[in-house]
Amino acid sequence: MSITYLITIAAALVVIARLLTFRRRAGRYRPGIALAAWLIIVVTTCAVIFGPPTNENGRLIIAAAMVALAVGLIRTGGNVAHLIRPLRRQ
């Protein structure tokens, strides 16, 4: 087991735990955002279950993307709507 795979697993656990423990409080329910959160959980789970790619560059890219997603979710408090807000058109 390589260090990049361990980093990927740790970041995926952070992502999944943060999304599963998110509380909306008084915010409204948005089905598209809920679907996006569900898809993020599915993709991160699949990345861990099916293992890393065979080449080292693929492992590094997936580990970096997973860490960036984990940091973004921690900074937004698990709010996927705030995470993808910069991607929306004005």
Side-chain angles (χ1 to χ4, degrees):
M1 206 180 281
S2 67
I3 189 73
T4 54
Y5 189 52
L6 293 175
I7 291 170
T8 302
I9 291 173
L13 287 174
V14 168
V15 167
I16 293 168
R18 189 60 207 132
L19 287 176
L20 289 178
T21 58
F22 174 70
R23 299 280 181 186
R24 272 189 299 128
R25 293 186 188 92
R28 65 183 184 145
Y29 175 75
R30 292 188 245 170
I33 300 299
L35 178 66
W38 181 80
L39 285 173
I40 290 171
I41 290 174
V42 168
V43 168
T44 56
T45 303
C46 288
V48 172
I49 289 175
F50 295 126
T54 56
N55 60 354
E56 188 62 30
N57 290 337
R59 290 183 192 149
L60 288 174
I61 290 170
I62 289 181
M66 215 51 94
V67 168
L69 182 62
V71 168
L73 283 172
I74 293 296
R75 289 188 66 183
T76 62
N79 193 340
V80 176
H82 289 173
L83 184 68
I84 62 175
R85 180 179 292 162
L87 300 177
R88 291 186 347 198
R89 287 187 230 167
Q90 297 296 342

